[in-house]
Amino acid sequence: MPKHRVLTEFGMGTSLRRQDYTQAARRGLQDALWHNSINMAELFGFPKEAMLIDVEIGVQEPEKVDVKALLDIFPYGQPSIIVTQGGLDVPRLDGPPTVIANVAINVSFQMVMA
């Protein structure tokens, strides 16, 4: 069956002082997910485990994001996370830059559209 996207959500997260790219990504994921209650599975008559969750995270230093540490954010579904160049590092006079992560989440299901 073909994969059909049913929802896209965006978020932004920061690490203000520790330059922690994983924490900024985690906060961006939470920002996107905590804005709503995603009831897509029930709407289409699927179990929540059938949700295909594709996540793209943009930060200035993608290699510093621990993707495995982010998977526990998702209580169900099948998350897939990729990290790319993006986001923003904002210079500060008194320490390391503030890290901003941008996040896009797409939820899809394997289904036939009538």
Side-chain angles (χ1 to χ4, degrees):
M1 279 189 270
K3 180 177 172 179
H4 291 279
R5 182 176 53 201
V6 296
L7 175 81
T8 299
E9 189 65 60
F10 301 100
M12 184 195 77
T14 62
S15 175
L16 299 176
R17 300 188 181 280
R18 294 184 308 150
Q19 199 173 7
D20 186 333
Y21 288 86
T22 301
Q23 185 62 40
R26 176 176 291 279
R27 289 176 176 158
L29 281 168
Q30 290 170 332
D31 181 47
L33 292 171
W34 277 227
H35 277 152
N36 57 55
S37 174
I38 301 174
N39 297 321
M40 288 295 143
E42 294 90 346
L43 179 66
F44 288 99
F46 292 110
K48 291 180 180 182
E49 294 75 24
M51 292 172 64
L52 305 173
I53 305 167
D54 295 308
V55 177
E56 186 168 354
I57 300 169
V59 293
Q60 285 293 298
E61 297 189 43
E63 69 281 357
K64 291 188 177 179
V65 175
D66 182 353
V67 172
K68 289 182 183 177
L70 300 175
L71 292 173
D72 67 347
I73 291 174
F74 301 94
Y76 43 77
Q78 302 170 45
S80 171
I81 301 173
I82 62 167
V83 184
T84 62
Q85 179 73 32
L88 186 64
D89 284 356
V90 181
R92 294 181 37 230
L93 296 176
D94 62 341
T98 293
V99 172
I100 299 175
N102 295 109
V103 176
I105 299 173
N106 290 307
V107 176
S108 304
F109 292 100
Q110 296 286 347
M111 62 181 165
V112 176
M113 300 295 285

mmCIF file of all heavy atoms in Angstrom, residues 22-42:
data_model
loop_
_atom_site.group_PDB
_atom_site.id
_atom_site.type_symbol
_atom_site.label_atom_id
_atom_site.label_comp_id
_atom_site.label_asym_id
_atom_site.label_seq_id
_atom_site.Cartn_x
_atom_site.Cartn_y
_atom_site.Cartn_z
ATOM 1 N N THR A 22 21.354 18.297 21.001
ATOM 2 C CA THR A 22 20.327 17.289 21.255
ATOM 3 C C THR A 22 19.185 17.884 22.075
ATOM 4 O O THR A 22 18.014 17.630 21.791
ATOM 5 C CB THR A 22 20.934 16.062 21.970
ATOM 6 O OG1 THR A 22 21.965 15.515 21.134
ATOM 7 C CG2 THR A 22 19.889 14.997 22.242
ATOM 8 N N GLN A 23 19.517 18.688 23.092
ATOM 9 C CA GLN A 23 18.474 19.296 23.910
ATOM 10 C C GLN A 23 17.640 20.279 23.091
ATOM 11 O O GLN A 23 16.414 20.326 23.228
ATOM 12 C CB GLN A 23 19.075 20.019 25.124
ATOM 13 C CG GLN A 23 18.031 20.559 26.075
ATOM 14 C CD GLN A 23 17.179 19.470 26.691
ATOM 15 O OE1 GLN A 23 17.682 18.407 27.052
ATOM 16 N NE2 GLN A 23 15.893 19.685 26.812
ATOM 17 N N ALA A 24 18.275 21.047 22.225
ATOM 18 C CA ALA A 24 17.523 21.964 21.362
ATOM 19 C C ALA A 24 16.591 21.183 20.447
ATOM 20 O O ALA A 24 15.425 21.557 20.261
ATOM 21 C CB ALA A 24 18.492 22.828 20.542
ATOM 22 N N ALA A 25 17.072 20.073 19.899
ATOM 23 C CA ALA A 25 16.232 19.229 19.036
ATOM 24 C C ALA A 25 15.076 18.638 19.828
ATOM 25 O O ALA A 25 13.934 18.597 19.355
ATOM 26 C CB ALA A 25 17.084 18.122 18.411
ATOM 27 N N ARG A 26 15.337 18.159 21.051
ATOM 28 C CA ARG A 26 14.286 17.603 21.910
ATOM 29 C C ARG A 26 13.208 18.653 22.173
ATOM 30 O O ARG A 26 12.018 18.384 22.074
ATOM 31 C CB ARG A 26 14.878 17.118 23.233
ATOM 32 C CG ARG A 26 13.839 16.625 24.228
ATOM 33 C CD ARG A 26 14.482 16.067 25.482
ATOM 34 N NE ARG A 26 15.191 14.830 25.226
ATOM 35 C CZ ARG A 26 14.617 13.630 25.140
ATOM 36 N NH1 ARG A 26 13.309 13.516 25.309
ATOM 37 N NH2 ARG A 26 15.320 12.563 24.904
ATOM 38 N N ARG A 27 13.613 19.849 22.485
ATOM 39 C CA ARG A 27 12.647 20.916 22.757
ATOM 40 C C ARG A 27 11.853 21.274 21.501
ATOM 41 O O ARG A 27 10.666 21.593 21.586
ATOM 42 C CB ARG A 27 13.361 22.135 23.324
ATOM 43 C CG ARG A 27 13.866 21.899 24.735
ATOM 44 C CD ARG A 27 14.664 23.054 25.264
ATOM 45 N NE ARG A 27 15.039 22.814 26.653
ATOM 46 C CZ ARG A 27 16.042 23.404 27.262
ATOM 47 N NH1 ARG A 27 16.791 24.303 26.621
ATOM 48 N NH2 ARG A 27 16.320 23.129 28.520
ATOM 49 N N GLY A 28 12.490 21.218 20.334
ATOM 50 C CA GLY A 28 11.774 21.463 19.084
ATOM 51 C C GLY A 28 10.743 20.381 18.802
ATOM 52 O O GLY A 28 9.629 20.670 18.364
ATOM 53 N N LEU A 29 11.098 19.125 19.061
ATOM 54 C CA LEU A 29 10.144 18.022 18.907
ATOM 55 C C LEU A 29 8.966 18.183 19.855
ATOM 56 O O LEU A 29 7.806 18.030 19.471
ATOM 57 C CB LEU A 29 10.833 16.687 19.180
ATOM 58 C CG LEU A 29 11.684 16.119 18.065
ATOM 59 C CD1 LEU A 29 12.520 14.958 18.568
ATOM 60 C CD2 LEU A 29 10.808 15.685 16.914
ATOM 61 N N GLN A 30 9.261 18.507 21.103
ATOM 62 C CA GLN A 30 8.191 18.699 22.082
ATOM 63 C C GLN A 30 7.311 19.871 21.697
ATOM 64 O O GLN A 30 6.090 19.806 21.841
ATOM 65 C CB GLN A 30 8.785 18.900 23.474
ATOM 66 C CG GLN A 30 9.404 17.635 24.015
ATOM 67 C CD GLN A 30 10.199 17.859 25.287
ATOM 68 O OE1 GLN A 30 10.737 18.934 25.528
ATOM 69 N NE2 GLN A 30 10.296 16.818 26.098
ATOM 70 N N ASP A 31 7.911 20.934 21.179
ATOM 71 C CA ASP A 31 7.140 22.091 20.735
ATOM 72 C C ASP A 31 6.139 21.684 19.656
ATOM 73 O O ASP A 31 4.965 22.049 19.705
ATOM 74 C CB ASP A 31 8.090 23.169 20.209
ATOM 75 C CG ASP A 31 7.386 24.422 19.755
ATOM 76 O OD1 ASP A 31 6.502 24.936 20.485
ATOM 77 O OD2 ASP A 31 7.723 24.918 18.655
ATOM 78 N N ALA A 32 6.605 20.898 18.703
ATOM 79 C CA ALA A 32 5.722 20.455 17.621
ATOM 80 C C ALA A 32 4.644 19.503 18.128
ATOM 81 O O ALA A 32 3.472 19.638 17.774
ATOM 82 C CB ALA A 32 6.540 19.786 16.518
ATOM 83 N N LEU A 33 5.027 18.556 18.951
ATOM 84 C CA LEU A 33 4.081 17.535 19.401
ATOM 85 C C LEU A 33 3.111 18.037 20.468
ATOM 86 O O LEU A 33 1.952 17.647 20.494
ATOM 87 C CB LEU A 33 4.837 16.318 19.949
ATOM 88 C CG LEU A 33 5.602 15.513 18.915
ATOM 89 C CD1 LEU A 33 6.480 14.479 19.609
ATOM 90 C CD2 LEU A 33 4.656 14.856 17.932
ATOM 91 N N TRP A 34 3.562 18.887 21.342
ATOM 92 C CA TRP A 34 2.747 19.311 22.478
ATOM 93 C C TRP A 34 1.732 20.380 22.096
ATOM 94 O O TRP A 34 0.897 20.743 22.905
ATOM 95 C CB TRP A 34 3.633 19.835 23.604
ATOM 96 C CG TRP A 34 4.231 18.815 24.528
ATOM 97 C CD1 TRP A 34 4.235 18.897 25.882
ATOM 98 C CD2 TRP A 34 4.933 17.618 24.213
ATOM 99 N NE1 TRP A 34 4.894 17.807 26.408
ATOM 100 C CE2 TRP A 34 5.331 17.004 25.410
ATOM 101 C CE3 TRP A 34 5.258 16.973 23.023
ATOM 102 C CZ2 TRP A 34 6.030 15.806 25.458
ATOM 103 C CZ3 TRP A 34 5.971 15.786 23.072
ATOM 104 C CH2 TRP A 34 6.331 15.219 24.270
ATOM 105 N N HIS A 35 1.781 20.877 20.865
ATOM 106 C CA HIS A 35 0.798 21.872 20.417
ATOM 107 C C HIS A 35 -0.580 21.273 20.199
ATOM 108 O O HIS A 35 -1.563 21.991 20.140
ATOM 109 C CB HIS A 35 1.234 22.541 19.106
ATOM 110 C CG HIS A 35 2.174 23.662 19.311
ATOM 111 N ND1 HIS A 35 3.099 24.032 18.369
ATOM 112 C CD2 HIS A 35 2.361 24.496 20.349
ATOM 113 C CE1 HIS A 35 3.799 25.055 18.825
ATOM 114 N NE2 HIS A 35 3.366 25.347 20.024
ATOM 115 N N ASN A 36 -0.635 19.989 20.028
ATOM 116 C CA ASN A 36 -1.921 19.381 19.723
ATOM 117 C C ASN A 36 -1.952 17.936 20.192
ATOM 118 O O ASN A 36 -0.938 17.377 20.575
ATOM 119 C CB ASN A 36 -2.206 19.451 18.214
ATOM 120 C CG ASN A 36 -1.127 18.790 17.403
ATOM 121 O OD1 ASN A 36 -0.818 17.634 17.624
ATOM 122 N ND2 ASN A 36 -0.543 19.500 16.471
ATOM 123 N N SER A 37 -3.101 17.386 20.150
ATOM 124 C CA SER A 37 -3.271 15.966 20.412
ATOM 125 C C SER A 37 -3.521 15.320 19.055
ATOM 126 O O SER A 37 -4.538 15.567 18.415
ATOM 127 C CB SER A 37 -4.473 15.734 21.336
ATOM 128 O OG SER A 37 -4.708 14.362 21.471
ATOM 129 N N ILE A 38 -2.562 14.542 18.620
ATOM 130 C CA ILE A 38 -2.653 13.951 17.284
ATOM 131 C C ILE A 38 -3.541 12.716 17.344
ATOM 132 O O ILE A 38 -3.147 11.677 17.855
ATOM 133 C CB ILE A 38 -1.257 13.617 16.732
ATOM 134 C CG1 ILE A 38 -0.410 14.888 16.659
ATOM 135 C CG2 ILE A 38 -1.372 12.954 15.371
ATOM 136 C CD1 ILE A 38 1.023 14.643 16.270
ATOM 137 N N ASN A 39 -4.758 12.858 16.851
ATOM 138 C CA ASN A 39 -5.728 11.765 16.854
ATOM 139 C C ASN A 39 -5.890 11.169 15.457
ATOM 140 O O ASN A 39 -6.942 10.627 15.137
ATOM 141 C CB ASN A 39 -7.078 12.270 17.363
ATOM 142 C CG ASN A 39 -6.989 12.755 18.786
ATOM 143 O OD1 ASN A 39 -6.302 12.172 19.599
ATOM 144 N ND2 ASN A 39 -7.668 13.849 19.082
ATOM 145 N N MET A 40 -4.872 11.280 14.649
ATOM 146 C CA MET A 40 -4.978 10.816 13.267
ATOM 147 C C MET A 40 -5.249 9.323 13.172
ATOM 148 O O MET A 40 -6.010 8.885 12.317
ATOM 149 C CB MET A 40 -3.693 11.138 12.491
ATOM 150 C CG MET A 40 -3.516 12.589 12.184
ATOM 151 S SD MET A 40 -4.820 13.131 11.076
ATOM 152 C CE MET A 40 -5.101 14.746 11.716
ATOM 153 N N ALA A 41 -4.622 8.533 14.029
ATOM 154 C CA ALA A 41 -4.818 7.082 13.940
ATOM 155 C C ALA A 41 -6.290 6.728 14.110
ATOM 156 O O ALA A 41 -6.862 5.982 13.308
ATOM 157 C CB ALA A 41 -3.962 6.363 14.980
ATOM 158 N N GLU A 42 -6.906 7.297 15.147
ATOM 159 C CA GLU A 42 -8.314 7.019 15.402
ATOM 160 C C GLU A 42 -9.193 7.523 14.263
ATOM 161 O O GLU A 42 -10.157 6.871 13.871
ATOM 162 C CB GLU A 42 -8.762 7.662 16.720
ATOM 163 C CG GLU A 42 -8.088 7.068 17.945
ATOM 164 C CD GLU A 42 -6.798 7.779 18.331
ATOM 165 O OE1 GLU A 42 -6.250 8.569 17.517
ATOM 166 O OE2 GLU A 42 -6.315 7.538 19.440
#
